[in-house]
Structures are given as structure tokens and as C-alpha cells.
Amino acid sequence: MAKYQKYAEYKDSGVEWLGDIPKHWQTVSLKMLIDVRDGTHDTPPYVEPNFNTYPLVTSKDVTGGRVDLSNCKHISELDYSNIIKRSGVSKGDILMPMIGTVGSPVLVEDKFEIAIKNLALFKTSIGNEKLDSKFLFYFLNSTECETQFSLEGKGGVQNFVSLGTLRNLVLPLTKTSEQIKIANFLDHETTKIDHLIEKQQKLIELLKEKRQAVISHAVTKGLKPNVKMKDSGMEWLGEVPEHWEIIKFDYVINSVGDIDHYMPNSVDSGIPYVMTGDLQDLVSKIDFESCKQVAYSDYIKLSRKIKTSKDDIILARYATIGTISYVDIDAEFLVSYSCVTIKPNIKRTSGRYLFCYLKSQAFLQAIKMHINSNTQGNVGVDSLRNVKIVVPPLSEQNEIIHFLNEEVVKVDKLINKAESAISLMQERRTALISAAVTGKIDVRHWQAPTLAEAHTELNA
């Protein structure tokens, strides 16, 4: 924050976590400024969405700085009318999850006819002359606000904040005109940072597409550009090297299977139970400590059909088809029945090569042909066995693995660099918000750029 000047004089705020504030600022409890409410404490019966129903917005629907109505449950007009007597949402109000992603506020900038549950409602739309809604919105995004949540002892496993805690939030406050100036400054500066973050996110997507393309080309076309080709007979695969085999998946594996479709009970300390959401490219990167833990007896019983071991591949078989892990370590863990374990036939292929092939577009297109037509979409073990794949000789497989190890590492380094840049920008964004809303920097003389200047800044 070195490029921003400080206020001329400061004083002790009297609040340990806040420190000094500008001399003309004060600290105020939020309940002295606005009304803070919550939504319904009950769960009204859900109904099929139509013109006479209303969304019931919960904490899971408030993500990424916006209210997502696309997956909301709907309630009747009567239930909606009863709920909004207590917590009607108006333009200018602020919504914030009280459970789950606590501290992710959304400023309501459009008229919303919604009911809310598990959300805090900051009624800034009710006329007040001492608090600007956008200034409060930024304060709720500050580390100082998070600190107050922590001091209240909420969060942790429950990840919960009470209505009383929210009403008793202490705000560093200045006159409204200065609050508006601070909010306008943060609008401009955070927009610039968000634009840079978006650029890095797009770069990451492009790099991932490049990585996918490199893998797909290597495992379906090979590394030799002048090799004689043949028609694979499959539209999504096209031509492949003439000397490569086109065979059923079943011919390159020893076995494929899943455990019994039974969910074992959790224990405090036991064997990691790996579910789809835990999968990483390499099993060694899975955080086993955060996985569900099951009793050793359940591990032994459920892994009788198939036990995952080094050089195997784990494939998600349900909604996230195409998510796979290569087992690169010896470890005891149990794979959920939402996945299958694939054991390669080492006379025909290695687990490492098969892992690369399963990440290719060719395999993803082939597997789509076998996905069951139900609401979730899944691929059965028998269907997987019958998927056709193209397989080079073992010597070429080893060359391809070596090539991909080098090329994918290069792309992954660029992805990691972009992700690090995003983390730094997010940290700067948070630090800037905190500095501005607590008076650590003085932006009273900041001038909003012209439209032309703003456009130049965003596209620099």
C-alpha cells in the first residue's frame, strides 16, 4: 500500500484487532446503524417451479459474489408471503451466508422476489444517513470482519455465524460522503484486479486445453510425423498409425471393478475412503487426512472384490466421468463405489500409459457412446470393457510417456505460475479493501478516471 498516502492524524480505536483509525473516524456497532435479520427458520414444502412460485435462496445459492437462482428450490406463494413479512429482500440490501461460505456477501443490485434461509439480511435499503451500503459491503469482505467472526468462536467445523454476532459487528466509520468515496475507489481498483484475475483464469483454461491436446495427439497419432496411417473406423478417432492395434479395452487390462455398493460408517482414525471429489491426477497428491475414514475391518471386507494397488488407475464412473487418478504410491486406502479400479495387463500396456490414454479426448468421446441414458449418467464395468482404444507397441508407449512427462510438466509449470499470480492478486485485493475501509490509506483525493482512461487501464 506504499503508493497510497495515510491520513494526517490517527487515534487509538480502543479495539485491539482494529488498532489506530483516522482521528475524525469512530467505531460503531452495526446494530446502531441498520437492521440485521435472517430468513425463515423452517423449511417450507418445495413445489414445482411455475409462475406462481418463488425461489427459496439458501447459503449454497450465494456464490462468487452473486445470487444464483438457477438451482434454487421453489416454494408456494403463500409460504413466500409469510417469509417476506420477516425478511423481504430489496434492492440495496446485502445478503450473506450464515453457514458454509460465511463471509461471502452479495450486494443486491436488482429487485429480487425471493425468500431466504440460512442467510443474513442487512437491510441497508431502509433509509439511513450514516451508512453507505457499498461501504458496508466492502467491510463485510475485509479481514477485520473475518477477525470478528473468529473472535466470536464461530466457524471451524460448524462454519456458522450467529445473528447476534452480525448485529454486534464493530465498524470503523466516517461520514457518509467519505464512505461513498472509499466505495467508489474500491469499485474501480477491485474491478482492475478482477480483470487481471480473469485474464489469468482464461490463460489457465487455454493451458489446460493445450495439455489435453498434447496428450490426445501423442496417444492417438504418435510422435513420428511421417509414419504411415490407417483409418481407425471411428469418427471421433480418425486416422491412427498403421502398425498400432485397435482393440477392446478389455484386452489391455487384467481386471476392472468396483467395491460393493455399501457406504461404511465413518471412524475417527482408520483407512482413507477416497470418493470422487478427493481424486487428484496422482494418488500421492490426495489429502488422505481430509478423506472420510473407515474401519480396517470394512476396508478388508469391501476390498475383497478388487484392491487398489500401485500402477492401477482409478476412474470416476458417475457424474464426473473422465476424472481419473494414477496410483503412483503403495498405500492402503479404499476407493468408493462411485469409481472403478483398473488393473493394466503389463504385457500390453503400463498403468502410466493407460492413465495418459484415459485422459485423451479419444477415450472421452468413446466412453460417451456407452454412458447410460439416465439423469446422472454413468458407465458400467461391462461397457468400459467394450470401449475400443488404439494401442502402440510397448516401446513406443515408453517413448510417449517420456515425451508427455516433459511436455506436461512444462505446461503445468505455466499453470502453477498463473495460479500463483491469481493468489497474489487476491491477497492484494483483500489487503486493499481492508486498508481502505479501516482508514489505513486516505483516498479522499482520488479522482475517478474518465471512461477512456478506465478502458485503457483494463486493457493494458
Side-chain angles (χ1 to χ4, degrees):
M1 301 305 151
K3 74 174 185 176
Y4 301 108
Q5 68 180 67
K6 294 179 177 293
Y7 285 86
E9 293 184 86
Y10 285 83
K11 66 181 179 183
D12 184 0
S13 67
V15 181
E16 185 178 354
W17 53 262
L18 183 56
D20 291 343
I21 58 174
K23 189 175 181 179
H24 64 286
W25 288 37
Q26 58 182 315
T27 56
V28 182
S29 177
L30 185 59
K31 65 186 175 185
M32 304 300 293
L33 300 169
I34 62 167
D35 187 13
V36 184
R37 308 173 186 175
D38 59 1
T40 178
H41 293 181
D42 302 316
T43 302
Y46 300 135
V47 296
E48 288 295 325
N50 59 54
F51 292 112
N52 297 316
T53 64
Y54 293 84
L56 178 65
V57 177
T58 66
S59 54
K60 69 178 178 60
D61 303 311
V62 177
T63 58
R66 68 187 185 92
V67 177
D68 182 5
L69 299 179
S70 59
N71 293 311
C72 285
K73 302 292 186 182
H74 277 237
I75 59 175
S76 70
E77 186 173 11
L78 178 59
D79 285 325
Y80 167 74
S81 299
N82 290 331
I83 292 171
I84 65 167
K85 289 175 184 176
R86 169 188 173 89
S87 52
V89 180
S90 303
K91 183 178 180 180
D93 290 341
I94 297 171
L95 294 171
M96 191 180 80
M98 299 176 71
I99 63 172
T101 52
V102 171
S104 301
V106 171
L107 180 64
V108 178
E109 298 185 283
D110 296 301
K111 184 179 179 181
F112 268 146
E113 290 186 323
I114 60 172
I116 61 172
K117 179 179 173 64
N118 297 332
L119 292 175
L121 173 62
F122 299 87
K123 289 300 298 181
T124 54
S125 60
I126 297 176
N128 68 81
E129 299 177 354
K130 294 184 178 180
L131 182 61
D132 176 66
S133 60
K134 186 65 75 72
F135 180 83
L136 174 60
F137 166 76
Y138 279 119
F139 178 77
L140 293 172
N141 273 289
S142 70
T143 53
E144 284 70 20
C145 186
E146 290 181 13
T147 297
Q148 293 189 70
F149 295 156
S150 300
L151 291 173
E152 286 293 325
K154 308 301 179 183
V157 176
Q158 289 182 328
N159 207 13
F160 164 77
V161 62
S162 70
L163 194 60
T165 297
L166 297 175
R167 286 174 173 159
N168 288 314
L169 283 175
V170 175
L171 276 74
L173 204 65
T174 183
K175 57 187 178 181
T176 310
S177 59
E178 194 171 345
Q179 294 176 41
I180 293 171
K181 188 83 170 183
I182 291 168
N184 289 340
F185 163 78
L186 288 173
D187 278 347
H188 177 72
E189 293 299 317
T190 57
T191 296
K192 286 198 301 183
I193 295 172
D194 290 343
H195 187 70
L196 293 172
I197 290 174
E198 186 180 344
K199 280 186 174 181
Q200 291 298 315
Q201 289 170 335
K202 287 181 178 178
L203 173 61
I204 289 171
E205 290 305 311
L206 288 173
L207 288 168
K208 287 181 177 179
E209 288 176 10
K210 178 181 179 181
R211 181 175 61 188
Q212 179 81 0
V214 168
I215 292 171
S216 293
H217 188 275
V219 299
T220 59
K221 309 299 178 186
L223 305 179
K224 300 170 184 176
N226 298 319
V227 70
K228 192 171 182 180
M229 307 291 281
K230 66 181 177 183
D231 185 2
S232 68
M234 291 170 279
E235 185 179 349
W236 66 85
L237 189 56
E239 292 189 330
V240 298
E242 189 178 55
H243 62 291
W244 289 18
E245 287 186 283
I246 301 171
I247 55 178
K248 286 183 179 180
F249 189 73
D250 196 37
Y251 296 153
V252 297
I253 61 172
N254 283 333
S255 61
V256 54
D258 57 359
I259 66 170
D260 290 334
H261 290 207
Y262 163 74
M263 178 63 75
N265 293 326
S266 296
V267 297
D268 292 335
S269 180
I271 301 297
Y273 184 82
V274 176
M275 293 185 273
T276 303
D278 300 316
L279 295 181
Q280 301 289 332
D281 272 1
L282 301 177
V283 162
S284 60
K285 292 183 179 180
I286 295 175
D287 182 2
F288 286 124
E289 290 186 4
S290 67
C291 293
K292 174 187 171 82
Q293 304 290 308
V294 301
Y296 191 77
S297 57
D298 279 327
Y299 164 66
I300 295 298
K301 180 174 65 176
L302 290 173
S303 60
R304 284 174 186 164
K305 284 172 60 180
I306 192 162
K307 183 180 288 187
T308 309
S309 55
K310 191 174 180 180
D311 204 41
D312 290 348
I313 299 115
I314 303 166
L315 170 70
R317 58 179 296 190
Y318 291 120
T320 51
I321 292 168
T323 301
I324 59 173
S325 279
Y326 172 66
V327 186
D328 60 326
I329 56 172
D330 285 313
E332 285 189 317
F333 60 94
L334 190 63
V335 179
S336 160
Y337 58 79
S338 62
C339 306
V340 294
T341 294
I342 300 165
K343 293 186 174 293
N345 178 347
I346 59 172
K347 293 181 180 180
R348 284 187 171 269
T349 188
S350 66
R352 191 77 195 194
Y353 181 81
L354 204 53
F355 168 74
C356 292
Y357 190 88
L358 297 187
K359 288 180 74 69
S360 72
Q361 253 338 101
F363 173 75
L364 292 176
Q365 288 295 324
I367 206 69
K368 283 179 181 178
M369 305 293 291
H370 294 269
I371 292 176
N372 294 337
S373 300
N374 58 34
T375 54
Q376 190 176 34
N378 68 77
V379 60
V381 170
D382 289 339
S383 295
L384 184 59
R385 289 179 181 277
N386 288 311
V387 169
K388 284 192 175 180
I389 66 171
V390 56
V391 184
L394 283 170
S395 59
E396 277 191 69
Q397 290 183 34
N398 292 331
E399 290 174 7
I400 290 169
I401 292 169
H402 180 72
F403 168 78
L404 288 177
N405 283 342
E406 291 185 346
E407 293 303 307
V408 170
V409 164
K410 291 177 187 176
V411 177
D412 284 345
K413 283 182 178 179
L414 293 174
I415 291 173
N416 290 337
K417 187 176 179 180
E419 288 174 339
S420 295
I422 288 174
S423 294
L424 288 172
M425 285 184 279
Q426 288 171 333
E427 289 174 10
R428 172 175 168 73
R429 189 184 193 278
T430 300
L432 186 63
I433 290 171
S434 290
V437 298
T438 60
K440 301 298 186 290
I441 58 175
D442 183 357
V443 300
R444 287 175 296 179
H445 302 296
W446 174 79
Q447 295 294 323
T450 64
L451 288 175
E453 290 170 339
H455 180 77
T456 301
E457 287 180 350
L458 288 176
N459 292 280

